[in-house]
Amino acid sequence: MNGSFKKNITIPNILTILRIVIIVPLTRFLLKQDYIMAGVMILISAVTDILDGFLARKLGQITDLGKILDPIADKLTLIAVVVCANVLYPEIMPFIIVLFTKELLMLSGGAFLLRFKIKPPAAKWYGKLSTVLFYTSITTLILLKAIWGYTNRTLSLVLLSVTTASMLFSLIMYTSVFVRLIRASKNDANSELHEDKDHDSDDAENQSE
């Protein structure tokens, strides 16, 4: 157990945990409408999000804990920012509905895989892309509000539409991955079943001889 604990104490995992911790001050700054500090928190969160995946691959420190923590950190940050943004900008409610629907379907898909004892896949490039676009969109809107005191509705619509489209694309791609994993698992199970039957047949033949 001690060895397993040490194995999971890696730089990427520490960065991921930092990203979760940052959610508290980020939420506070957003609700206080301290847009400069909120923007700084989102920037730090985005940088650590990019770095943890890069370093995990570069340093060979990909762990099962990291695979679990990374999407949790993404989803918690995303939910916190979106809820706060909805309080400040009620007009983005349609975006929030699409976002939460996508996340709910992703969680359901992951739970379905675990039910069949299939390990959920690590984050893919399209998932990371939708996360980066989300950070970019929200950060841009917050900085505009901080600098000029208002947010351009046309720009907001464009940014949120692009982000929503990327999330829907990510959902479609992950769905195809989930389907392939389930099919592969069923094929493996069928192969093992046939092998067991062949083995039993061989044993029966040997006993009859």
Side-chain angles (χ1 to χ4, degrees):
M1 184 175 180
N2 189 38
S4 177
F5 176 78
K6 289 181 178 180
K7 179 183 176 182
N8 286 306
I9 301 302
T10 63
I11 294 175
N13 287 348
I14 291 173
L15 289 175
T16 303
I17 293 172
L18 175 62
R19 198 156 86 251
I20 295 175
V21 172
I22 284 174
I23 294 173
V24 176
L26 169 60
T27 302
R28 179 171 174 272
F29 288 131
L30 279 174
L31 293 178
K32 287 181 63 177
Q33 298 188 39
D34 187 342
Y35 297 114
I36 296 296
M37 286 306 300
V40 170
M41 292 295 104
I42 290 178
L43 182 61
I44 294 173
S45 182
V47 170
T48 56
D49 187 21
I50 294 171
L51 280 177
D52 64 10
F54 172 78
L55 291 176
R57 292 186 295 272
K58 193 74 174 177
L59 301 176
Q61 295 181 342
I62 298 175
T63 64
D64 289 338
L65 177 63
K67 291 179 181 179
I68 295 172
L69 283 180
D70 186 61
I72 288 176
D74 285 344
K75 286 174 174 54
L76 289 178
T77 302
L78 185 142
I79 290 170
V81 171
V82 167
V83 169
C84 292
N86 186 52
V87 172
L88 300 173
Y89 311 108
E91 64 271 16
I92 70 171
M93 179 56 74
F95 166 73
I96 292 177
I97 292 173
V98 172
L99 173 64
F100 276 102
T101 301
K102 179 253 185 185
E103 293 302 324
L104 180 61
L105 290 173
M106 288 289 295
L107 288 173
S108 299
F112 190 76
L113 290 180
L114 291 175
R115 179 185 174 188
F116 284 92
K117 298 181 180 180
I118 303 172
K119 186 180 294 185
K124 305 294 184 181
W125 68 267
Y126 33 82
K128 286 297 183 182
L129 175 62
S130 64
T131 301
V132 170
L133 287 175
F134 164 77
Y135 279 123
T136 302
S137 299
I138 297 299
T139 302
T140 300
L141 296 178
I142 289 175
L143 289 178
L144 287 176
K145 185 80 172 180
I147 297 172
W148 285 289
Y150 70 92
T151 302
N152 185 282
R153 288 184 176 274
T154 302
L155 178 60
S156 299
L157 180 61
V158 171
L159 288 174
L160 294 178
S161 296
V162 171
T163 303
T164 301
S166 71
M167 288 183 173
L168 291 176
F169 173 73
S170 174
L171 174 61
I172 293 171
M173 295 299 290
Y174 272 117
T175 299
S176 67
V177 172
F178 287 176
V179 171
R180 287 200 302 271
L181 287 173
I182 293 171
R183 286 178 177 172
S185 177
K186 287 183 177 179
N187 290 335
D188 290 342
N190 290 333
S191 297
E192 290 179 3
L193 181 61
H194 288 311
E195 288 177 1
D196 289 340
K197 287 183 177 180
D198 292 340
H199 182 69
D200 292 339
S201 298
D202 291 340
D203 289 343
E205 289 178 2
N206 291 333
Q207 288 176 3
S208 65
E209 290 176 356

